[in-house]
Amino acid sequence: MEATVQQFPPYRETAAPHGHDDHGHHEPNFWSKYIFSTDHKVIGIQYGFMALCFMLFGFFLMLMMRWQIAHPGVPVPVFGPLLEKILGQPAAHGAISPELYNSFGAMHGTIMIFLGVVPLAFAAFGNYVVPLMIGAPDMAFPRINMASFHAFFLGGVVMLVSFFIPGGAAQAGWTSYSPLATTIPTNGQVFWLVGMVLLITSSLLGAVNFIATIIQLRAPGMTWMRLPWFVWAQFVTAFILLLAFPPLEAAGVLQLMDNVAHTSFFLPTGLAVGGQLADRSGGGSPLLWQHLFWFLGHPEVYVLILPAMGIVVEVIANNTRKPIWGYKSLVYSVLFVGFMSFLVWAHHMFLTGMGQKIATFFQATTMIISIPSVIILTCMLLSLWGGSIRINTPMLFALGFLPMFGIGGLTGLPLGLAVCDVYLHDTYYIIAHFHYVVAPGTIFALFAGIYFWFPKMTGRKMNEFWGRVHFWCSFAFMNIVFMPMFVQGIKGMLRRMSDGGINYSAARVPNAIDALPGSVMQLNGVILWAAVCLGIAQIPFIINLFWSISHGEKVGTNPWRATTLDWQTPTPPPHGNFAHEPHVARGPYEYSVPGAAEDFTPQDAPADKTSTAPNAH
Amino acid sequence: MSESEQPVDLKSYIRLCAVVFVVVLITTASMIATSYANIGHGWTLKVALILAIAVVNAFLVAGYLMHLLSEKKMVYTVLIFTVIFFIGLMGLTMFAMNDFPPGTATH
Amino acid sequence: MEIPYTVKNRPDTGLYNAKLGIWLFLASEVMLFGGLFSAYILLRVGAPAGEWPHGWLDVRLGTVNTLLLALSAITTLLAWASCKVREFGKFKFFHACTILLALTFLGIKSYEYHDKWIHYEIQLNNGKIADGHFESAVYVNQASKQEVEEHSYRGNSFSQVAGGTTNNYQLASVTIHGHVVEKHEELMDLRSEEAKKAVHKELTIAATDIKKMENYGPRHNTFTAIYFTLTGLHALHIFGGTLVIFYLWGPGSKMWKTDPERFTNRIEVSGLFWHFVDLVWIFLFPVLYLT
Ligand code: HEM
Ligand SMILES: [Cu+2]
């Protein structure tokens, strides 16, 4: 079928007993169509676009930091004068001062996680794809959906504005440990907290909406065990956001009070700042912040990874042309991961002097949670076995995800054991560990998703050749960036040092500390240039993305010949999504069913067409 | 409790509310009485007693006013997990804050 | 386009969308207050012996507020039940009560805040502590040496622009209604026999005797900090809930004519939120006022 923007009548229009619909009946103008839209697909694209912009910005901050690490105190080429012009003193002479380095570090983490990956993986893909996959006309609460995006947007604005206030943006890391976060003399932290409260609000509204949608709006016949696994992953993610974020919101409010109303929730008695006793009542507990933060912080990493895994499963099933291996194991694993992710948080705090009983508990839960993660990865790998694999750009990224996530996950295990973690904590090993999961892991999966669903959004494919260039270059440079960090970390190089460890490496105390060898320092240069190349490797992607919207190869509604409902709609799907309410007759991955007319059987194809096929599950 | 179910009768609700309010009065009064009573053991025992009475009060509101006693399975499922994580959050944090190696100076 | 189950229950879950939505939202609220209550417990348990205040809040006002909220929870339920039996007039009456009760609650709460705000602990240079409610302060105009009396505390000094010139004022003395104690500990447990015996009277303290003067605001100690934060967040919830109920009672009640069933659902959902807010108070009251 040729891709035309056909306006099918949304399927419930005639039968509507409660005839008011606050949107969509009048001619939509620019504002109601793109800014105040309640259509889940538009909101998904809004999220996606914003998130990609933020990720680009976060990447830029990282480049500045990597320059500073590799060449401490040397003015940044090209961007240095610009930084000085915009930010003034902290970027004097175009070089990055330690304070600015701290700001960039804190904001890089915050932006990448809360304004980049979560909005893209959860909000953008979830919004666009989930209602389509379950056969719903929209989200359960379209206006709350819009409010969620607006809260996200405002939160982003607050975060960005904080760069320009006196003293600059937050400097206490994305983890914002107290008392540091309260004693640094800048209001950046206040902006950070207000921004976070907005972002948390956005996530909560989104989570409520997703869960209600998945529970309530599944099309007839779409039973739980017929849900595409992507939907399961988003479902669990939404629950994690719903229940893990509020304690951080509580902590954020308390820290806000510490910063604005000068309370001492997280400030201990006798706190001295700059050699002077702070004018505080004291009596608070810095560790309490860490507990509340990591109660979100650990589940948050699953928020980063689960939607990505969902995308990978969809892409793999589609491109191996066979049912995903172990659908049920996948479902139970993701439920179990979601549950356990609430009970492992203190493995980030082994060095806070915790006792052995509690440390043992958290080591045990950490080891337990890695089991379902491994099951998920194993199912993905086994799905490749015996498939007639179609290699295209989405599949390349999905395949790239597998070893990258494998490395990231396996290097997490030593961190989960206190004995090793005492040594590795706060070194570059940690940086390497979680970037392997999030950068070449999650972000590769997100790229796979973009290449995969682009034809649904636009009716055109992205350019295949440049997609492959994008993949192979990204794959190579990602590894050159992050692999050396394992080495640096094992050698003892600490994270969050604005001079990249120079001072530390010079501080050779005979018979006590063995300083960092020069080779470790030299790796900083390698990483810098690999990161620059990684940035350049994204240019083909950016051009490809925009170019293909109007010039890509035109394709039909179901170019990948996929089974799930998102591909059984007109392209792009109109407001209301389906021409007729879909009736789901089978499981999500009926590829190459023996005896079937084609090598894929859509979930909503009438049952008699495939009467010879055994029913799924 | 939506439309499809049996129609309600306002009178029975008013009766229910009267009962609830009387119980709230009693529980509140007994909390205050406990608070001022002289029962030894310092505050620990009192706090426990008062919170126990508060739980009764809360049960009333949740169970009857919010109809939690006759809610749907889906709501229970959501709430069960919430309660588990709530207990995990409080309990494990408390545990962690009380388990330090011997000799650790706190505060 | 019509979204399914906005009004009718979905057969397999037995719920309409908004009902599930509000329960999910309340689940997240449970975790929010869970974090805050955890903070409360840890701060309290971690406080050194004798450092956690008792009896700082007015139990009478707290009790009145408890009963007000309980009553409003009841009128909320009856408002919904009235909708169910299609008695719009009764609905209007019951929710009018809810709104009035809520506003009274907020009024009492702000009175309590004000009371803490004008309550000062004044550390004197001789090591004693004067403690009581602020009445007035005398400031001296630095240029004209004229004295002015202020009825709110304006810090150690302040300046004022009058007729194009800036006048600087310096604190001369403070008058409070309270008492003087030897040690800080005497201020902590106001339920104790000694504290009850204390005689409160008008005291005027010269500025030169004052070492530090601080009101019982959030920064005073961890108790006031958590008191203001918890009750403040709770009051915000009350405020938000009142706004919603007011909307449904006033302009939003137009829906009654077009779609009473959906309107009844809205009343139910907002009522669930309101009951939750009451539930939080049920724990706040004993935790802050009674123990
Ligand atoms: C599957 C097994 C995994 C295990 C056993 C594990 C274990 C750990 C441990 C123990 C730490 C704390 C190290 C320290 O600070 O000393 C850590 C840090 C981290 N992990 Fe993992 N992890 C796993 C998977 C993941 C995944 C899937 C993600 C993200 C998608 C992730 C993201 C992170 C992040 C962001 C940090 C660093 C937080 C910070 O300190 O800034 N991890 N991991
Ligand atoms: Cu973790």
Short mmCIF file of all heavy atoms in Angstrom, two decimals, chain A residues 113 174-175 294 298 300-302 304-305 347-348 350 366-367 369-370 373 405 408-410 412-417 421 424-426 430 433-434 437-438 442 495-496, ligand 1:
data_model
loop_
_atom_site.label_atom_id
_atom_site.label_comp_id
_atom_site.label_asym_id
_atom_site.label_seq_id
_atom_site.Cartn_x
_atom_site.Cartn_y
_atom_site.Cartn_z
N ILE A 113 20.16 11.88 32.11
CA ILE A 113 19.24 10.91 32.70
C ILE A 113 17.81 11.42 32.69
O ILE A 113 16.91 10.79 32.15
CB ILE A 113 19.69 10.57 34.13
CG1 ILE A 113 20.99 9.78 34.06
CG2 ILE A 113 18.61 9.76 34.85
CD1 ILE A 113 21.57 9.43 35.38
N TRP A 174 25.06 14.72 39.98
CA TRP A 174 23.65 14.43 39.72
C TRP A 174 23.01 13.81 40.95
O TRP A 174 21.81 13.78 41.10
CB TRP A 174 23.49 13.53 38.49
CG TRP A 174 23.72 12.07 38.69
CD1 TRP A 174 24.93 11.45 38.78
CD2 TRP A 174 22.73 11.04 38.83
NE1 TRP A 174 24.75 10.10 38.97
CE2 TRP A 174 23.42 9.81 39.00
CE3 TRP A 174 21.34 11.02 38.81
CZ2 TRP A 174 22.76 8.60 39.16
CZ3 TRP A 174 20.69 9.80 38.99
CH2 TRP A 174 21.40 8.61 39.16
N THR A 175 23.87 13.31 41.88
CA THR A 175 23.35 12.71 43.09
C THR A 175 23.12 13.72 44.20
O THR A 175 22.52 13.39 45.21
CB THR A 175 24.32 11.65 43.60
OG1 THR A 175 25.61 12.27 43.69
CG2 THR A 175 24.43 10.49 42.65
N TRP A 294 18.92 7.21 46.68
CA TRP A 294 19.15 5.94 46.00
C TRP A 294 17.91 5.06 45.99
O TRP A 294 17.83 4.13 45.19
CB TRP A 294 20.36 5.21 46.59
CG TRP A 294 21.63 5.88 46.18
CD1 TRP A 294 22.52 6.51 47.01
CD2 TRP A 294 22.14 6.04 44.86
NE1 TRP A 294 23.55 7.04 46.27
CE2 TRP A 294 23.35 6.77 44.95
CE3 TRP A 294 21.70 5.65 43.59
CZ2 TRP A 294 24.11 7.11 43.83
CZ3 TRP A 294 22.46 5.98 42.48
CH2 TRP A 294 23.65 6.70 42.62
N HIS A 298 18.48 3.77 42.31
CA HIS A 298 18.66 2.47 41.69
C HIS A 298 17.49 2.08 40.78
O HIS A 298 17.72 1.73 39.63
CB HIS A 298 19.00 1.33 42.65
CG HIS A 298 19.27 0.12 41.85
ND1 HIS A 298 20.48 -0.13 41.28
CD2 HIS A 298 18.42 -0.81 41.37
CE1 HIS A 298 20.37 -1.19 40.50
NE2 HIS A 298 19.13 -1.63 40.53
N GLU A 300 15.77 3.88 39.17
CA GLU A 300 15.92 4.74 38.01
C GLU A 300 16.78 4.09 36.93
O GLU A 300 16.49 4.24 35.74
CB GLU A 300 16.53 6.08 38.43
CG GLU A 300 16.83 7.05 37.31
CD GLU A 300 15.59 7.71 36.76
OE1 GLU A 300 14.53 7.66 37.42
OE2 GLU A 300 15.68 8.27 35.66
N VAL A 301 17.82 3.36 37.32
CA VAL A 301 18.64 2.75 36.28
C VAL A 301 17.83 1.71 35.51
O VAL A 301 18.08 1.48 34.33
CB VAL A 301 19.96 2.15 36.82
CG1 VAL A 301 20.72 3.14 37.65
CG2 VAL A 301 19.73 0.86 37.56
N TYR A 302 16.83 1.12 36.18
CA TYR A 302 15.99 0.20 35.43
C TYR A 302 14.99 0.95 34.56
O TYR A 302 14.56 0.44 33.52
CB TYR A 302 15.33 -0.80 36.37
CG TYR A 302 16.36 -1.81 36.79
CD1 TYR A 302 17.10 -1.62 37.93
CD2 TYR A 302 16.67 -2.88 35.96
CE1 TYR A 302 18.13 -2.48 38.26
CE2 TYR A 302 17.68 -3.75 36.29
CZ TYR A 302 18.41 -3.55 37.44
OH TYR A 302 19.44 -4.40 37.75
N LEU A 304 15.94 3.40 32.98
CA LEU A 304 16.76 3.69 31.80
C LEU A 304 16.89 2.47 30.90
O LEU A 304 17.03 2.61 29.69
CB LEU A 304 18.15 4.14 32.22
CG LEU A 304 18.24 5.39 33.10
CD1 LEU A 304 19.69 5.64 33.51
CD2 LEU A 304 17.71 6.60 32.36
N ILE A 305 16.88 1.29 31.49
CA ILE A 305 17.22 0.13 30.67
C ILE A 305 16.01 -0.64 30.17
O ILE A 305 16.03 -1.19 29.08
CB ILE A 305 18.19 -0.81 31.45
CG1 ILE A 305 18.92 -1.75 30.49
CG2 ILE A 305 17.46 -1.64 32.49
CD1 ILE A 305 19.95 -1.08 29.67
N HIS A 347 23.40 -0.62 47.67
CA HIS A 347 24.69 -1.04 47.13
C HIS A 347 25.45 0.17 46.58
O HIS A 347 26.61 0.05 46.21
CB HIS A 347 24.56 -2.16 46.08
CG HIS A 347 23.81 -1.80 44.84
ND1 HIS A 347 23.06 -2.71 44.14
CD2 HIS A 347 23.69 -0.66 44.16
CE1 HIS A 347 22.53 -2.14 43.09
NE2 HIS A 347 22.89 -0.88 43.08
N HIS A 348 24.80 1.30 46.53
CA HIS A 348 25.52 2.53 46.16
C HIS A 348 26.17 3.16 47.39
O HIS A 348 26.81 4.20 47.28
CB HIS A 348 24.56 3.53 45.52
CG HIS A 348 24.02 3.07 44.21
ND1 HIS A 348 24.64 3.35 43.01
CD2 HIS A 348 22.95 2.30 43.90
CE1 HIS A 348 23.95 2.80 42.03
NE2 HIS A 348 22.92 2.15 42.54
N PHE A 350 27.89 1.35 50.02
CA PHE A 350 28.72 0.46 50.83
C PHE A 350 29.80 1.23 51.58
O PHE A 350 30.26 0.80 52.62
CB PHE A 350 29.38 -0.61 49.94
CG PHE A 350 28.43 -1.68 49.48
CD1 PHE A 350 28.49 -2.17 48.18
CD2 PHE A 350 27.49 -2.22 50.35
CE1 PHE A 350 27.63 -3.17 47.77
CE2 PHE A 350 26.62 -3.21 49.94
CZ PHE A 350 26.69 -3.69 48.64
N THR A 366 21.34 -7.63 45.47
CA THR A 366 21.97 -7.21 44.22
C THR A 366 22.32 -8.42 43.36
O THR A 366 22.13 -8.40 42.14
CB THR A 366 23.23 -6.38 44.53
OG1 THR A 366 22.86 -5.28 45.34
CG2 THR A 366 23.86 -5.88 43.25
N MET A 367 22.82 -9.46 44.00
CA MET A 367 23.13 -10.66 43.23
C MET A 367 21.84 -11.27 42.67
O MET A 367 21.79 -11.74 41.55
CB MET A 367 23.85 -11.69 44.11
CG MET A 367 25.25 -11.25 44.50
SD MET A 367 26.28 -10.87 43.08
CE MET A 367 26.62 -9.15 43.34
N ILE A 369 19.04 -9.78 41.86
CA ILE A 369 18.42 -9.03 40.77
C ILE A 369 19.17 -9.24 39.46
O ILE A 369 18.61 -9.07 38.38
CB ILE A 369 18.31 -7.53 41.09
CG1 ILE A 369 17.29 -6.87 40.15
CG2 ILE A 369 19.63 -6.83 40.96
CD1 ILE A 369 17.07 -5.43 40.42
N SER A 370 20.42 -9.63 39.54
CA SER A 370 21.13 -9.80 38.27
C SER A 370 20.66 -11.07 37.55
O SER A 370 20.86 -11.20 36.35
CB SER A 370 22.64 -9.82 38.49
OG SER A 370 22.96 -10.81 39.42
N SER A 373 17.95 -10.23 35.03
CA SER A 373 18.56 -9.44 33.96
C SER A 373 19.28 -10.35 33.00
O SER A 373 19.21 -10.17 31.78
CB SER A 373 19.57 -8.43 34.54
OG SER A 373 19.00 -7.74 35.61
N PHE A 405 25.39 -4.20 26.57
CA PHE A 405 24.69 -4.36 27.83
C PHE A 405 25.32 -5.48 28.64
O PHE A 405 25.43 -5.41 29.86
CB PHE A 405 23.20 -4.66 27.61
CG PHE A 405 22.49 -4.96 28.89
CD1 PHE A 405 22.23 -3.95 29.80
CD2 PHE A 405 22.14 -6.26 29.22
CE1 PHE A 405 21.61 -4.23 31.00
CE2 PHE A 405 21.52 -6.54 30.43
CZ PHE A 405 21.26 -5.53 31.31
N GLY A 408 28.29 -4.08 30.39
CA GLY A 408 27.86 -3.19 31.47
C GLY A 408 27.30 -3.98 32.64
O GLY A 408 27.63 -3.70 33.81
N GLY A 409 26.47 -4.95 32.36
CA GLY A 409 25.85 -5.71 33.44
C GLY A 409 26.85 -6.54 34.19
O GLY A 409 26.87 -6.56 35.42
N LEU A 410 27.75 -7.23 33.45
CA LEU A 410 28.71 -8.10 34.13
C LEU A 410 29.68 -7.29 34.99
O LEU A 410 30.06 -7.73 36.07
CB LEU A 410 29.48 -8.92 33.10
CG LEU A 410 28.66 -10.03 32.44
CD1 LEU A 410 29.49 -10.77 31.42
CD2 LEU A 410 28.15 -11.00 33.51
N GLY A 412 28.92 -4.83 36.57
CA GLY A 412 28.19 -4.38 37.76
C GLY A 412 28.31 -5.37 38.91
O GLY A 412 28.26 -4.99 40.07
N LEU A 413 28.49 -6.67 38.55
CA LEU A 413 28.51 -7.67 39.62
C LEU A 413 29.59 -7.42 40.66
O LEU A 413 29.30 -7.44 41.85
CB LEU A 413 28.63 -9.07 39.00
CG LEU A 413 27.36 -9.50 38.25
CD1 LEU A 413 27.56 -10.87 37.61
CD2 LEU A 413 26.17 -9.55 39.20
N PRO A 414 30.85 -7.18 40.24
CA PRO A 414 31.86 -6.90 41.28
C PRO A 414 31.48 -5.71 42.14
O PRO A 414 31.83 -5.67 43.32
CB PRO A 414 33.12 -6.59 40.46
CG PRO A 414 32.88 -7.12 39.11
CD PRO A 414 31.41 -7.18 38.89
N LEU A 415 30.77 -4.75 41.56
CA LEU A 415 30.38 -3.57 42.34
C LEU A 415 29.34 -3.92 43.39
O LEU A 415 29.21 -3.25 44.40
CB LEU A 415 29.81 -2.49 41.42
CG LEU A 415 30.78 -1.98 40.37
CD1 LEU A 415 30.10 -0.96 39.50
CD2 LEU A 415 31.99 -1.38 41.03
N GLY A 416 28.60 -4.99 43.11
CA GLY A 416 27.57 -5.37 44.06
C GLY A 416 28.12 -6.13 45.26
O GLY A 416 27.38 -6.43 46.18
N LEU A 417 29.40 -6.43 45.21
CA LEU A 417 30.02 -7.12 46.34
C LEU A 417 30.90 -6.13 47.10
O LEU A 417 31.82 -5.56 46.53
CB LEU A 417 30.86 -8.29 45.84
CG LEU A 417 30.03 -9.35 45.10
CD1 LEU A 417 30.92 -10.33 44.37
CD2 LEU A 417 29.14 -10.09 46.08
N ASP A 421 33.79 -3.44 45.94
CA ASP A 421 33.29 -2.09 45.76
C ASP A 421 34.07 -1.09 46.60
O ASP A 421 34.27 0.05 46.19
CB ASP A 421 31.80 -2.02 46.11
CG ASP A 421 31.21 -0.69 45.73
OD1 ASP A 421 31.31 -0.34 44.53
OD2 ASP A 421 30.69 0.02 46.61
N LEU A 424 36.64 -0.16 44.27
CA LEU A 424 36.27 0.42 42.98
C LEU A 424 35.35 1.63 43.10
O LEU A 424 35.23 2.42 42.16
CB LEU A 424 35.55 -0.64 42.12
CG LEU A 424 36.45 -1.78 41.66
CD1 LEU A 424 35.62 -2.87 41.03
CD2 LEU A 424 37.50 -1.27 40.68
N HIS A 425 34.71 1.78 44.22
CA HIS A 425 33.76 2.88 44.40
C HIS A 425 34.40 4.22 44.08
O HIS A 425 35.53 4.48 44.45
CB HIS A 425 33.26 2.87 45.84
CG HIS A 425 32.30 3.97 46.13
ND1 HIS A 425 31.02 3.98 45.65
CD2 HIS A 425 32.43 5.11 46.85
CE1 HIS A 425 30.41 5.09 46.06
NE2 HIS A 425 31.25 5.79 46.79
N ASP A 426 33.63 5.04 43.38
CA ASP A 426 34.08 6.39 43.04
C ASP A 426 35.32 6.44 42.17
O ASP A 426 36.02 7.43 42.13
CB ASP A 426 34.30 7.24 44.30
CG ASP A 426 33.11 8.15 44.55
OD1 ASP A 426 32.24 8.23 43.66
OD2 ASP A 426 33.05 8.78 45.62
N ILE A 430 33.39 2.85 37.87
CA ILE A 430 31.95 3.06 37.99
C ILE A 430 31.43 3.77 36.73
O ILE A 430 30.40 3.40 36.16
CB ILE A 430 31.62 3.92 39.23
CG1 ILE A 430 32.26 3.36 40.47
CG2 ILE A 430 30.11 4.08 39.39
CD1 ILE A 430 31.71 2.08 40.92
N HIS A 433 31.28 1.34 34.00
CA HIS A 433 30.18 0.38 34.20
C HIS A 433 28.85 0.97 33.75
O HIS A 433 28.17 0.42 32.90
CB HIS A 433 30.09 -0.04 35.67
CG HIS A 433 28.72 -0.45 36.10
ND1 HIS A 433 28.08 -1.55 35.59
CD2 HIS A 433 27.83 0.11 36.97
CE1 HIS A 433 26.87 -1.66 36.13
NE2 HIS A 433 26.69 -0.65 36.96
N PHE A 434 28.51 2.11 34.30
CA PHE A 434 27.13 2.52 34.00
C PHE A 434 27.01 3.13 32.63
O PHE A 434 25.95 3.08 32.02
CB PHE A 434 26.52 3.37 35.12
CG PHE A 434 27.03 4.75 35.30
CD1 PHE A 434 26.68 5.75 34.43
CD2 PHE A 434 27.81 5.07 36.41
CE1 PHE A 434 27.13 7.05 34.64
CE2 PHE A 434 28.25 6.36 36.62
CZ PHE A 434 27.91 7.35 35.72
N VAL A 437 26.16 0.40 30.23
CA VAL A 437 24.74 0.04 30.17
C VAL A 437 23.90 1.13 29.52
O VAL A 437 22.96 0.86 28.80
CB VAL A 437 24.13 -0.32 31.54
CG1 VAL A 437 23.66 -1.73 31.54
CG2 VAL A 437 25.04 -0.06 32.68
N VAL A 438 24.23 2.39 29.84
CA VAL A 438 23.34 3.45 29.38
C VAL A 438 23.71 3.96 28.00
O VAL A 438 22.83 4.22 27.18
CB VAL A 438 23.29 4.62 30.38
CG1 VAL A 438 22.19 5.57 30.00
CG2 VAL A 438 23.06 4.11 31.77
N THR A 442 21.58 1.45 26.36
CA THR A 442 20.27 2.09 26.16
C THR A 442 20.24 2.96 24.91
O THR A 442 19.29 2.89 24.11
CB THR A 442 19.93 2.95 27.39
OG1 THR A 442 19.85 2.09 28.51
CG2 THR A 442 18.62 3.65 27.19
N ARG A 495 36.77 9.39 40.04
CA ARG A 495 35.87 10.17 39.21
C ARG A 495 35.74 11.58 39.80
O ARG A 495 36.15 11.83 40.92
CB ARG A 495 34.50 9.48 39.14
CG ARG A 495 33.78 9.43 40.45
CD ARG A 495 32.60 8.48 40.47
NE ARG A 495 31.43 9.02 39.79
CZ ARG A 495 30.17 8.59 40.00
NH1 ARG A 495 29.94 7.62 40.87
NH2 ARG A 495 29.17 9.11 39.35
N ARG A 496 35.11 12.47 39.04
CA ARG A 496 34.77 13.82 39.51
C ARG A 496 35.98 14.68 39.87
O ARG A 496 35.90 15.55 40.73
CB ARG A 496 33.84 13.76 40.71
CG ARG A 496 32.47 13.24 40.33
CD ARG A 496 31.49 13.24 41.46
NE ARG A 496 30.15 12.91 40.95
CZ ARG A 496 29.25 12.22 41.61
NH1 ARG A 496 29.50 11.79 42.82
NH2 ARG A 496 28.07 11.98 41.09
C1 HEM D 1 22.64 -6.09 36.35
C2 HEM D 1 23.45 -5.92 37.21
C3 HEM D 1 23.94 -4.61 37.80
C4 HEM D 1 24.61 -4.58 38.96
C5 HEM D 1 24.94 -5.77 39.83
C6 HEM D 1 24.95 -3.20 39.23
C7 HEM D 1 25.64 -2.79 40.36
C8 HEM D 1 26.02 -1.50 40.60
C9 HEM D 1 26.62 -1.04 41.80
C10 HEM D 1 26.93 -1.91 43.01
C11 HEM D 1 26.87 0.28 41.69
C12 HEM D 1 27.47 1.21 42.73
C13 HEM D 1 28.93 1.29 42.59
C14 HEM D 1 29.54 2.34 43.45
O1 HEM D 1 29.10 3.50 43.42
O2 HEM D 1 30.49 2.00 44.19
C15 HEM D 1 26.40 0.67 40.40
C16 HEM D 1 26.46 1.95 39.92
C17 HEM D 1 25.69 2.38 38.86
N1 HEM D 1 24.97 1.58 38.02
FE1 HEM D 1 24.86 -0.43 38.06
N2 HEM D 1 24.49 -2.42 38.24
C18 HEM D 1 23.84 -3.23 37.35
C19 HEM D 1 23.18 -2.79 36.22
C20 HEM D 1 22.99 -1.48 35.89
C21 HEM D 1 22.11 -1.02 34.87
C22 HEM D 1 21.23 -1.90 34.00
C23 HEM D 1 22.21 0.34 34.86
C24 HEM D 1 21.54 1.37 34.00
C25 HEM D 1 20.82 1.28 32.99
C26 HEM D 1 23.14 0.72 35.86
C27 HEM D 1 23.48 2.03 36.14
C28 HEM D 1 24.31 2.41 37.15
C29 HEM D 1 24.63 3.78 37.44
C30 HEM D 1 24.09 5.00 36.72
C31 HEM D 1 25.53 3.76 38.50
C32 HEM D 1 26.30 4.91 39.11
C33 HEM D 1 25.58 5.84 39.95
C34 HEM D 1 26.53 6.91 40.46
O3 HEM D 1 27.22 6.68 41.45
O4 HEM D 1 26.57 8.00 39.86
N3 HEM D 1 23.61 -0.41 36.47
N4 HEM D 1 25.88 -0.43 39.75
#
